[in-house]
């Protein structure tokens, strides 16, 4: 089968080789105000979505955790507390600006001893086979160029018995969709322009959510990558879904 020469960047079609650079430009632009914008856009509810993810992770003292697209490190901070001094958390992000912001904030909070920082592409994770007990990717999979390849890469580095958790924007319930569309395409770019001076990045955010696979499709993609007992849990009427899968 011939590989596609283009892929979507929001609603635009761009060469496959260029998408990562386009996504990088978005996050270089918003890195310094990323947490502020998350609070504004979700009215703080993103913290609840992440709390649910952490509660269902089953992370224990001594565990090894990979937080892909970990950005400013809010999940990493919680996992670092859970694994304790005998455990390890790797904060990985393809974007150097996001990774630097996350590292600086975690160090400022005194969380350094059991955290490593790695600039990495989810499609080709630079870790040994069967290495991590838990892998999370929160609001990052939709930005990956080849999602199937990334899922296979995550499967490879996950230990047998380990769990992958994908927290991502998804497809909301039908009754909510028109309201959500109005909010996404009118309010988000306006907030982006007002607080970061960058409306285009938040236009991309809204578009990238619409191009992301729906709940059932992503569940099947995880199964095709090798994950078993794959499930998903809708939150906020499907605006966000938490997908979980295991390696046996």
């Amino acid at each position: 089968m011939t590989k596609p020469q283009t892929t979507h960047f929001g609603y635009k079609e761009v060469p496959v080789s260029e998408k990562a650079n386009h996504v990088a430009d978005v996050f270089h632009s918003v890195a310094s105000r990323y947490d502020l914008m998350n609070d504004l856009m979700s009215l703080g509810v993103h913290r609840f979505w992440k709390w649910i993810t952490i509660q269902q992770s089953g992370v224990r003292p001594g565990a090894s955790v990979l937080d892909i697209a970990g950005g400013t490190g809010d999940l990493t901070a919680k996992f670092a507390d859970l694994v304790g001094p005998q455990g390890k958390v790797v904060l990985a992000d393809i974007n150097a600006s996001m990774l630097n912001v996350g590292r600086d904030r975690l160090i400022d909070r005194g969380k350094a001893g059991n955290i490593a920082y790695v600039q990495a592409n989810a499609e080709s994770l630079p870790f040994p086979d069967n290495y991590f007990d838990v892998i999370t990717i929160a609001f990052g999979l939709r930005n990956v160029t080849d999602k199937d390849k990334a899922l296979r890469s995550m499967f490879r580095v996950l230990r047998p018995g380990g769990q992958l958790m994908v927290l991502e924007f998804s497809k909301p319930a039908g009754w909510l969709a028109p309201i959500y569309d109005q909010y996404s395409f009118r309010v988000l770019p306006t907030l982006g322009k007002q607080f970061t001076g960058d409306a285009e990045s938040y236009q991309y955010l809204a578009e990238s959510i619409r191009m992301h696979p729906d709940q059932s499709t992503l569940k099947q993609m995880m199964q095709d990558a090798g994950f078993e007992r794959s499930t998903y849990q809708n939150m906020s009427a499907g605006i966000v879904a938490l997908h979980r899968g295991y390696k046996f």
Side-chain angles (χ1 to χ4, degrees):
M1 181 181 295
T2 303
K3 290 186 177 180
Q5 300 300 307
T6 63
T7 188
H8 59 84
F9 173 72
Y11 289 164
K12 301 175 184 176
E13 284 290 317
V14 298
V16 168
S17 60
E18 294 180 9
K19 179 172 178 176
N21 289 333
H22 286 294
V23 172
D25 288 342
V26 168
F27 286 94
H28 285 313
S29 173
V30 304
S32 64
R33 301 231 174 155
Y34 184 77
D35 288 338
L36 169 65
M37 285 300 298
N38 279 347
D39 281 330
L40 290 172
M41 292 186 300
S42 71
L43 303 178
V45 180
H46 76 99
R47 299 179 184 273
F48 172 73
W49 299 329
K50 293 171 182 175
W51 181 82
I52 291 292
T53 302
I54 292 162
Q55 294 302 306
Q56 296 192 14
S57 69
V59 169
R60 298 287 186 268
S64 58
V65 179
L66 173 61
D67 183 16
I68 302 174
T72 53
D74 43 2
L75 282 177
T76 292
K78 298 295 185 183
F79 286 133
D81 291 338
L82 289 174
V83 303
Q86 302 305 314
K88 182 178 182 180
V89 183
V90 176
L91 171 56
D93 204 294
I94 194 173
N95 186 276
S97 296
M98 294 292 289
L99 193 64
N100 289 337
V101 169
R103 181 192 60 206
D104 291 346
R105 290 185 180 181
L106 289 167
I107 291 173
D108 288 345
R109 293 170 63 182
K111 298 180 182 294
N114 59 356
I115 301 174
Y117 305 90
V118 178
Q119 187 171 357
N121 187 330
E123 297 175 21
S124 53
L125 294 167
F127 307 108
D129 295 355
N130 307 315
Y131 192 73
F132 294 100
D133 298 300
V134 173
I135 298 175
T136 60
I137 178 166
F139 306 111
L141 187 61
R142 73 179 186 281
N143 297 310
V144 174
T145 303
D146 190 333
K147 297 174 181 59
D148 293 306
K149 186 177 180 181
L151 290 169
R152 292 193 299 270
S153 183
M154 295 175 210
F155 184 82
R156 179 186 64 79
V157 303
L158 189 66
R159 287 176 180 163
Q163 177 181 199
L164 169 67
M165 310 185 80
V166 181
L167 181 66
E168 188 55 89
F169 292 110
S170 199
K171 299 298 183 285
W175 64 267
L176 182 58
I179 303 169
Y180 186 51
D181 283 346
Q182 288 293 313
Y183 177 77
S184 298
F185 289 102
R186 292 181 181 274
V187 177
L188 292 190
T190 300
L191 286 173
K193 183 175 182 179
Q194 182 174 354
F195 289 95
T196 70
D198 183 356
E200 289 186 4
S201 291
Y202 290 91
Q203 179 73 23
Y204 162 74
L205 169 65
E207 294 176 0
S208 69
I209 292 170
R210 274 46 180 201
M211 300 301 292
H212 186 66
D214 64 16
Q215 289 90 326
S216 296
T217 303
L218 180 53
K219 176 183 175 181
Q220 186 61 54
M221 290 169 65
M222 290 174 64
Q223 292 172 341
D224 292 344
F227 293 96
E228 299 182 41
R229 288 169 49 191
S230 295
T231 61
Y232 64 84
Q233 171 185 349
N234 283 329
M235 292 185 274
S236 302
I239 288 176
V240 163
L242 174 61
H243 283 71
R244 302 167 65 188
Y246 296 83
K247 178 177 180 178
F248 294 111

